[in-house]
């Protein structure tokens, strides 16, 4: 401990995007990898991965708009708007090329970034994420979710988070669920609604992975209730250069199957 801070403490930094500070951490040196968290999460979820990879890579973890310490920019946070915030950070740090690792909604943002800035991307990891758009029933679910969030955001969070995990009698995952709920409860109501609106209108981006000139890594949860295994296995055949890791988990592989998923990401960012 120095100044009461743990030795591996990494201070948050921020750049202004449309007048709102967008927070991120920046650690390590080497080829750059940018980590993007999912819905109701923040950059903290990547702490263990960032720590482990910072011996070989420069690791940037960003709080996307309306999540973590980053405030809200609008009533709709489209994936393109979030990708613009990511671009701003990367540009301000004078990073020319990077790999992107996106968990779920973070993967949708990574795809929007890759579409807008193909020359900057050296690899894309869809970590329980899909290049497909929402189906009509999924859009209707989002509208229902928005109504619940307007009335009672913490009820929405407490009902949503357990669904992200694969639980059995032997593995009820109570501590991980509680930890994830605690992170999610930090998300402001407007941030939750703006992300739901943004995910609902997101574009289908299979072309981005089909013609990706860089490696695409799919990390898939065998028991993912949010993004079905079968649809991801189909998408994983699209890129010319792709690798697929299937873990025995739900939607939260970095917590549920940390060794397997970290090993896959490590290989991806160091190859
Ligand atoms: C996420 O984990 O980021 C979201 O659940 C993704 C989604 O709802 O499509």
């Amino acid at each position: 401990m120095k100044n009461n801070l743990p030795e591996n403490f990494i201070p948050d930094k921020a750049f202004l995007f449309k007048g709102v500070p967008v927070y991120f951490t920046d650690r390590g040196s080497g080829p750059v990898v940018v980590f993007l968290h999912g819905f109701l999460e923040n950059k903290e979820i990547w702490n263990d991965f960032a720590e482990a990879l910072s011996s070989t890579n420069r690791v940037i973890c960003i709080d996307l708009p309306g999540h973590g310490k980053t405030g809200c920019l609008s009533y709709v946070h489209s994936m393109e708007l979030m990708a613009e915030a990511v671009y701003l950070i990367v540009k301000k740090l004078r990073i020319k090329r990077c790999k992107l690792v996106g968990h779920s909604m973070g993967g949708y943002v990574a795809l929007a970034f890759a579409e807008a800035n193909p020359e900057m991307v050296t690899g894309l990891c869809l970590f329980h994420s899909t290049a497909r758009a929402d189906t009509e029933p999924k859009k209707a679910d989002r509208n229902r979710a928005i109504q619940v969030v307007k009335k009672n955001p913490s009820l929405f969070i407490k009902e949503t988070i357990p669904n992200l995990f694969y639980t059995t009698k032997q593995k009820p995952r109570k501590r991980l669920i509680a930890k994830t709920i605690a992170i999610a409860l930090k998300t402001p109501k407007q941030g939750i609604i703006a992300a739901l609106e943004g995910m609902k209108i997101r574009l289908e981006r299979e072309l981005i992975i089909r013609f990706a000139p860089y490696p695409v890594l799919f990390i898939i949860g065998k028991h993912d209730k949010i993004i079905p295994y079968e649809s991801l296995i189909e998408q994983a055949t699209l890129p010319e250069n792709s690798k697929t890791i299937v873990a025995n988990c739900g939607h939260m592989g970095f917590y549920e199957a940390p060794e397997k998923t970290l090993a896959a990401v490590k290989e991806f960012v160091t190859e």
Side-chain angles (χ1 to χ4, degrees), residues 38-39 41 103-105 108 138 142 199 202 226 251:
F39 177 53
E41 299 168 356
H103 176 235
S104 203
M105 182 185 80
Y108 312 157
K138 184 80 188 183
R142 303 254 193 231
M199 289 192 285
R202 76 180 189 281
I226 310 298
H251 192 62

Side-chain angles (χ1 to χ4, degrees), residues 180-194:
T180 310
I181 288 178
I183 291 177
L185 285 171
K186 295 183 193 165
T187 319
K189 190 197 255 197
Q190 189 188 336
I192 303 176
I193 294 174

